[in-house]
Amino acid sequence: SADGGRNLSLDSISMGLPMSDPAAWATAMNNLGMAPMGMTGQPLLPDFDPALGMMTGIPPINPMMPGLGIVPPPIPPDMPAVKEIIHCKSCTLFPPNPHLPPPATRERPPGCKTVFVGGLPENGTEQIIMEVFEQCGEVIAIRKSKKNFCHIRFAEEFMVDKALYLSGYRIRLGSSTDKKDTGRLHVDFAQARDDLYEWECKQRMLAREERHRRRLEEERFHPPSPPPVVHYSDHECSIVAEKLKDDTKFSEAVQTLLTWIERGEVNRRTANNFYSMIQSANSHIRRLVNEKAAHEKEMEEAKEKFKLALSGILVQFEQIVAVYHSASKQKAWDHFTKAQRKNISVWCKQAEEIRNIHNDELMGIRREEEMEMSDEEIEDPSEMKETEESALVSQVEALKEENDSLRWQLDAYRNEVELLKQEHGKASRDEDTTKEQQLKLLQQALQGMQQHLLKVQDEYKKREAELEKVKEDKLKIETLLETLKEQESSVPRVCACSQEKECPVDKTMSNSPVKSEREALLVGIISTFLHVHPFGASIEYICSYLQRLDSKICTTEVEVLMTRLQTTFKQELSGVGASLEKKWKFCGFDGLKMT
């Protein structure tokens, strides 16, 4: 019966194997991972190791024998499994040839609980199949086909592994040798929709549990939520105003004030209250600045203390290193043993390394202080220009913000006018006069706001034009500086070294044809320009180049200056007839040789 097959135990195996063959009995029991016992309860083999689950001298296997719900230890891949004959009530299972390769199986589907069993005897019934396979675990369903195969669904996934162990066994019904009563079992994984559905449900459940666990972990590490901000009222406003005056409660009150402003609690009725609170918040700036200065002073004092301590440590290091060096001199060195000398030299090396590290650290601190002092003392004019430019930019930004705020106020006024117009149509005749006055006042306010807005826009455009001018001036100055640098690199300086020709500086300056610093700058630029034009250039060409640098330069001024300096510039005529052209050339080097 089914109950008898399900409760198949060691007694049913012992009935098939005679006790006269103790070696075969011991092999079968060892394959089950159990110590073989005799009829009297004594162990048949004294060298059986129950901790290892195997008998000494017999290779371990991983059988799925009838009536067992345990899985023995795994088999090493290099050891062959020894399979034994399995006796059931209605049939007998004979193991396959151990030298043949293991039967092939398909890839295991996820959550597989169903197996395909082929090679069944033609006369095999569902009862015989149940008798064989229920020893692997609880069978939920058997779907048998007429073509000697069936599908078996188990309750758990691990039971499928036990069923696969029977693949390759030859089955014989009773003691019959008829072909219809024999067959070779082939057990393989089968793909079933029920298994896949259950596996997906299990995976979703595990994913939900994992998400829940992660959420609990995240909530545990989350910072606590801030307390909710109360809604605005006159009473709460007075409490917040008092808190703003208290240094200890200032941060909490400022957060409440910020939340109220962002919520849009500011209107005509509450504007004065909010202004007084903002004024209270502004009064704390001086306190914060003083606190920052006090902290900076403490930091400077701590730096000084650290520097003094570090210098004291360095002095002691120097003393220790001096001790090592004096001990290394021959007068004292000869009296030490070899081991003592080695220790002294190692200690000296370590002390020198540590001293050098501390010395580098102290020098780095001093270097940083010197750099800070030099940064404070030196003021670059280019930085001044950048600060002026940044001030203009900040003014422009401030004007933009003011422009935006005025636009928003204008929109607010327009909305109020529309609301008043709507109320005007619905109100009674008694209130018409008052509303008309309000409308007139609002219209006048609108006109004033519009005029102010136009003024602000004009000022904004002027500021932008000033900013563009400053940028252009900066570019011109940069180009002039570059040309001066090129002139200094190209035109060599000629120094009068003879004592006979020395004369006072005032006299030379009075006799010089160049009468001002501007003319000297023009001479340098024209000399550089003509130096790179060896074939000469017309006065119009020279003036067009100079007017790029300064638009106030005129042609007559340049020509008068060049005619005065005949040793530096000379004028030549080129061409014939209508193509006659006057060109100026640089002859400063020739004039230098002549002088």
Side-chain angles (χ1 to χ4, degrees):
S1 67
D3 294 330
R6 190 176 291 110
N7 299 321
L8 188 64
S9 62
L10 297 175
D11 297 335
S12 64
I13 299 174
S14 63
M15 289 170 66
L17 290 173
M19 291 302 296
S20 59
D21 189 4
W25 173 250
T27 303
M29 295 301 289
N30 182 50
N31 289 339
L32 294 173
M34 301 176 63
M37 307 294 290
M39 296 297 290
T40 58
Q42 299 296 324
L44 290 175
L45 297 174
D47 56 345
F48 183 84
D49 188 2
L52 299 174
M54 63 184 80
M55 186 176 72
T56 310
I58 298 175
I61 61 169
N62 187 13
M64 303 295 172
M65 296 302 288
L68 293 179
I70 60 170
V71 180
I75 313 165
D78 54 344
M79 291 188 177
V82 180
K83 294 186 177 182
E84 298 294 330
I85 300 172
I86 300 173
H87 296 274
C88 300
K89 288 186 178 180
S90 306
C91 59
T92 308
L93 300 175
F94 297 94
N97 188 354
H99 301 292
L100 292 175
T105 57
R106 62 182 291 180
E107 186 180 354
R108 181 170 190 152
C112 180
K113 296 181 184 177
T114 306
V115 293
F116 165 82
V117 182
L120 294 170
E122 290 185 17
N123 295 333
T125 60
E126 285 192 14
Q127 287 78 15
I128 294 171
I129 296 168
M130 178 70 78
E131 183 182 343
V132 173
F133 284 95
E134 71 180 352
Q135 301 169 30
C136 302
E138 182 185 351
V139 176
I140 293 177
I142 296 176
R143 295 190 296 275
K144 188 175 181 302
S145 175
K146 296 177 182 179
K147 295 184 179 180
N148 303 333
F149 70 88
C150 69
H151 288 86
I152 303 172
R153 190 165 191 259
F154 292 99
E156 299 294 337
E157 291 184 32
F158 70 89
M159 299 172 184
V160 173
D161 299 321
K162 293 184 179 182
L164 286 175
Y165 178 76
L166 300 175
S167 184
Y169 270 81
R170 287 185 296 109
I171 184 170
R172 186 178 70 187
L173 304 180
S175 58
S176 173
T177 56
D178 190 4
K179 190 176 181 182
K180 294 184 179 181
D181 293 332
T182 61
R184 185 178 294 277
L185 297 178
H186 174 69
V187 186
D188 198 356
F189 299 111
Q191 195 164 3
R193 286 194 297 271
D194 295 341
D195 297 344
L196 184 61
Y197 176 72
E198 286 183 7
W199 180 79
E200 287 175 350
C201 291
K202 187 177 179 182
Q203 294 301 314
R204 283 196 289 271
M205 184 185 70
L206 291 173
R208 281 196 301 273
E209 289 176 357
E210 179 66 18
R211 285 197 299 272
H212 181 64
R213 187 185 63 77
R214 284 183 184 175
R215 196 180 302 114
L216 289 177
E217 288 290 329
E218 290 173 359
E219 287 175 358
R220 194 173 65 174
F221 291 110
H222 271 175
S225 300
V229 179
V230 295
H231 289 284
Y232 176 81
S233 65
D234 292 338
H235 176 67
E236 293 294 336
C237 176
S238 61
I239 293 171
V240 171
E242 290 298 324
K243 285 182 179 179
L244 283 170
K245 296 172 184 176
D246 191 358
D247 294 347
T248 57
K249 300 175 182 178
F250 174 71
S251 58
E252 178 189 351
V254 159
Q255 190 61 38
T256 307
L257 175 61
L258 177 64
T259 308
W260 283 349
I261 293 171
E262 288 178 351
R263 281 180 184 171
E265 300 287 349
V266 183
N267 52 37
R268 282 188 172 185
R269 188 176 62 83
T270 61
N272 292 329
N273 295 333
F274 274 98
Y275 179 77
S276 63
M277 286 191 285
I278 292 167
Q279 195 173 9
S280 301
N282 184 52
S283 64
H284 285 268
I285 291 174
R286 186 177 295 173
R287 175 182 64 84
L288 295 173
V289 170
N290 293 334
E291 284 182 6
K292 184 192 171 191
H295 287 306
E296 285 177 351
K297 189 177 178 182
E298 289 176 4
M299 189 175 70
E300 291 297 328
E301 290 174 357
K303 274 186 181 178
E304 288 296 326
K305 285 181 183 177
F306 174 71
K307 215 161 62 173
L308 288 171
L310 196 60
S311 58
I313 290 167
L314 274 173
V315 168
Q316 294 178 15
F317 269 121
E318 291 289 346
Q319 292 171 351
I320 294 168
V321 171
V323 169
Y324 289 140
H325 284 312
S326 61
S328 301
K329 291 178 181 177
Q330 194 170 3
K331 190 186 291 183
W333 190 254
D334 294 339
H335 298 287
F336 294 118
T337 62
K338 193 174 182 180
Q340 289 171 344
R341 290 176 188 174
K342 187 177 180 181
N343 287 337
I344 289 170
S345 60
V346 169
W347 293 339
C348 181
K349 190 176 180 182
Q350 289 177 352
E352 284 178 348
E353 287 177 357
I354 297 169
R355 180 198 62 185
N356 293 336
I357 290 168
H358 284 74
N359 198 6
D360 292 342
E361 190 174 353
L362 186 61
M363 292 301 292
I365 292 169
R366 287 175 180 168
R367 223 175 287 123
E368 286 177 2
E369 288 179 353
E370 288 174 2
M371 287 174 68
E372 287 176 2
M373 292 292 290
S374 63
D375 287 342
E376 288 174 1
E377 289 172 0
I378 297 169
E379 290 184 354
D380 196 357
S382 62
E383 288 182 3
M384 295 290 289
K385 290 177 185 175
E386 287 177 3
T387 53
E388 289 176 3
E389 204 170 313
S390 61
L392 280 171
V393 172
S394 61
Q395 286 179 5
V396 169
E397 292 294 330
L399 285 169
K400 279 184 181 177
E401 290 179 1
E402 190 178 353
N403 193 1
D404 293 337
S405 64
L406 287 170
R407 279 181 186 168
W408 294 334
Q409 288 179 14
L410 191 62
D411 292 337
Y413 280 127
R414 281 176 181 165
N415 292 333
E416 287 184 8
V417 167
E418 288 176 2
L419 288 171
L420 286 170
K421 282 180 180 178
Q422 290 175 3
E423 290 175 2
H424 178 69
K426 295 176 183 178
S428 62
R429 295 176 182 175
D430 297 334
E431 297 175 354
D432 285 346
T433 55
T434 57
K435 287 188 177 179
E436 282 177 2
Q437 290 175 358
Q438 287 178 356
L439 280 171
K440 285 178 182 178
L441 289 171
L442 284 171
Q443 284 174 356
Q444 289 173 2
L446 273 173
Q447 288 174 359
M449 291 294 293
Q450 285 175 349
Q451 289 173 1
H452 187 57
L453 181 62
L454 290 170
K455 286 180 183 177
V456 168
Q457 285 177 348
D458 294 337
E459 193 175 352
Y460 170 65
K461 288 176 182 177
K462 286 178 183 176
R463 293 288 183 183
E464 277 190 342
E466 286 178 8
L467 186 62
E468 291 295 328
K469 258 187 191 177
V470 168
K471 287 181 180 178
E472 288 175 3
D473 293 343
K474 188 181 176 183
L475 285 172
K476 286 179 182 178
I477 290 165
E478 285 177 356
T479 51
L480 278 170
L481 285 171
E482 286 176 4
T483 52
L484 281 172
K485 285 177 184 176
E486 290 174 2
Q487 177 188 355
E488 286 175 3
S489 61
S490 61
V491 179
R493 295 178 180 175
V494 180
C495 299
C497 300
S498 60
Q499 294 180 357
E500 296 176 358
K501 294 183 180 181
E502 281 184 355
C503 56
V505 179
D506 298 334
K507 190 176 179 181
T508 55
M509 286 299 291
S510 61
N511 295 331
S512 175
V514 179
K515 295 179 180 179
S516 65
E517 190 177 349
R518 185 172 179 274
E519 288 185 355
L521 183 62
L522 282 173
V523 169
I525 296 169
I526 295 166
S527 302
T528 309
F529 180 76
L530 291 176
H531 185 66
V532 297
H533 291 79
F535 297 106
S538 64
I539 191 68
E540 290 81 9
Y541 186 22
I542 296 167
C543 288
S544 66
Y545 175 71
L546 292 172
Q547 281 169 359
R548 288 185 190 174
L549 305 176
D550 188 2
S551 59
K552 297 175 183 177
I553 294 171
C554 62
T555 310
T556 55
E557 181 187 357
V558 176
E559 194 168 4
V560 167
L561 179 63
M562 291 173 74
T563 51
R564 260 192 280 152
L565 299 167
Q566 294 180 0
T567 56
T568 309
F569 308 107
K570 66 178 180 179
Q571 189 178 24
E572 290 183 356
L573 297 174
S574 62
V576 179
S579 62
L580 190 66
E581 190 178 2
K582 292 180 181 180
K583 286 188 178 181
W584 286 91
K585 286 187 178 180
F586 176 71
C587 60
F589 297 133
D590 299 334
L592 185 66
K593 288 174 186 176
M594 288 170 64
T595 55

